[in-house]
């Protein structure tokens, strides 16, 4: 049993990870400012895992609060989710992103080093690869100049951690590059909770299907892909959560091969926007209202992961299918409606 600080632990991926950590026997402590999540996530975590995490609400930008927290609790490792993640907003308010995503990270890493906490898992993103020349994207695929301040914070965040590993013989970081996490807990009681209009595909689909949005716009059908719509590697959020348990235990057990490791988290399979819609319609029996719109600025044509490194070295494999992802997302959307 280890004591694990999950920053952003009431958020979408953070809450699923908190549940899996507790189920694996770990003690979870959460810091979240609730800027993009709700306090009720704690009840859900408790219900689905059997234990309520320690929780404190504050901004990681507040270094004094971060220091106090680390002094009060004897943390073994950090899983750092807390960050802003809306690409468009990051273009309009870049400093918000540098403060929320990077000043916060610096405060956490500083507090770790003062309090001799050695291990951190960092939420990175496949966005660091941009549009790769060769697919699937491996961890060696070149990092391209970021398309947005959001993407830049993921690149710089990785570099900050790499620099810290060079400054200390013991500091260890694992960056997990997520492809497209979607879906919800099998109970239908925990899932993504977008504030306002969703930017991402899956919540937009479920909100349209349940009547909260008039129609889904498919951003572009003239890509060089089999059906013309853009291709992504969608991965079930619970599979993503489980990868974090593997990563944090790998560090705590001293099994890392270097102080800075990177793993892609994807399924290795690419699906187009139209294929996601087809899966949703097939599994739920609901017909989706959609139309074709122009491409969205900054979108890449296609990307999917090489999963070899995560499979072989991390010992983790995503096992949920696209149909399971779309069906679980729908179960969650219906749960939200029933519990309004
Ligand atoms: C986006 C971000 C990425 C971020 C990730 C998680 C961009 C360019 N990329 O990934 O940096 O890490 O979210 O927040 O914003 N789509 C539609 N209609 C919609 C919504 C989406 O057709 O209403 C399409 C998109 O064009 C894309 C696919 O669905 O082809 C997936 O989109 P989305 O869920 O937003 O994820 P990404 O763009 O891959």
């Amino acid at each position: 049993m280890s004591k694990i600080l999950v920053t952003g632990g009431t958020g979408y991926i953070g809450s699923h990870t908190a549940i899996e950590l507790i189920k694996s026997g770990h003690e979870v402590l959460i810091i979240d400012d609730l800027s993009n999540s709700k306090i009720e996530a704690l009840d859900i975590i408790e219900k689905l895992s059997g234990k309520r995490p320690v929780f404190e609400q504050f901004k990681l930008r507040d270094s004094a609060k971060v220091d106090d927290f680390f002094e009060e609790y004897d943390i073994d490792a950090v899983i750092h989710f807390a960050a802003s993640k809306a690409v468009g907003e990051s273009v309009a308010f870049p400093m918000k992103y540098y403060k929320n995503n990077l000043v916060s990270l610096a405060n956490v890493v500083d507090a770790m080093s003062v309090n001799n906490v050695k291990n951190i898992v960092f939420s990175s993103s496949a966005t660091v690869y941009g549009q790769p020349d060769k697919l699937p994207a491996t961890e060696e695929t070149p990092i391209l100049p970021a398309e947005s301040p959001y993407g830049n914070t993921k690149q710089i965040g990785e570099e900050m951690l790499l620099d810290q590993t060079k400054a200390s013989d013991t500091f260890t970081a694992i960056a997990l590059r997520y492809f497209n996490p979607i879906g919800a807990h099998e109970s239908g009681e925990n899932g993504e909770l977008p504030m306002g209009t969703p930017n991402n595909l899956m919540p937009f689909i479920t909100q349209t299907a349940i009547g909260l949005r008039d129609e889904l716009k498919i951003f572009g059908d003239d890509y060089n892909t089999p059906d013309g719509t853009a291709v992504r590697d969608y991965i079930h959020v619970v599979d993503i959560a489980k990868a974090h348990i593997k990563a944090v235990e790998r560090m705590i057990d001293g099994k890392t091969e270097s102080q800075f490791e990177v793993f892609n988290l994807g399924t290795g399979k690419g699906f187009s926007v139209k294929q996601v819609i087809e899966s949703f319609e097939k599994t739920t029996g609901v017909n989706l209202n959609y139309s074709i719109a122009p491409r969205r600025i900054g979108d890449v044509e296609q990307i999917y992961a090489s999963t070899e490194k995560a499979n072989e070295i991390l010992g983790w494999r995503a096992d949920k299918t696209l149909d399971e992802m779309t069906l679980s997302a729908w179960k969650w959307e219906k749960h939200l409606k029933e519990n309004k």
Side-chain angles (χ1 to χ4, degrees), residues 86 194-200 203-204 207 212-213:
M195 308 264 174
T197 311
N199 297 306
N200 298 112
F204 211 104
Q207 288 197 3
L212 291 171
R213 314 269 156 214

Side-chain angles (χ1 to χ4, degrees), residues 85 87 125 127 150 180 199-201 204 216-219 230 232 234 273 296 298-299:
K85 61 168 188 180
V87 176
S125 168
T127 196
Y150 161 77
N180 286 62
N199 297 306
N200 298 112
L201 179 64
F204 211 104
L216 170 78
K217 293 204 181 320
I218 297 182
F219 297 141
R232 296 288 183 274
Y234 296 93
V273 176
R296 182 170 66 179
D299 273 357

Side-chain angles (χ1 to χ4, degrees), residues 213-232:
R213 314 269 156 214
D214 290 340
E215 65 168 9
L216 170 78
K217 293 204 181 320
I218 297 182
F219 297 141
D221 70 345
D222 56 352
Y223 285 111
N224 186 21
T225 58
D227 64 22
T229 64
V231 167
R232 296 288 183 274

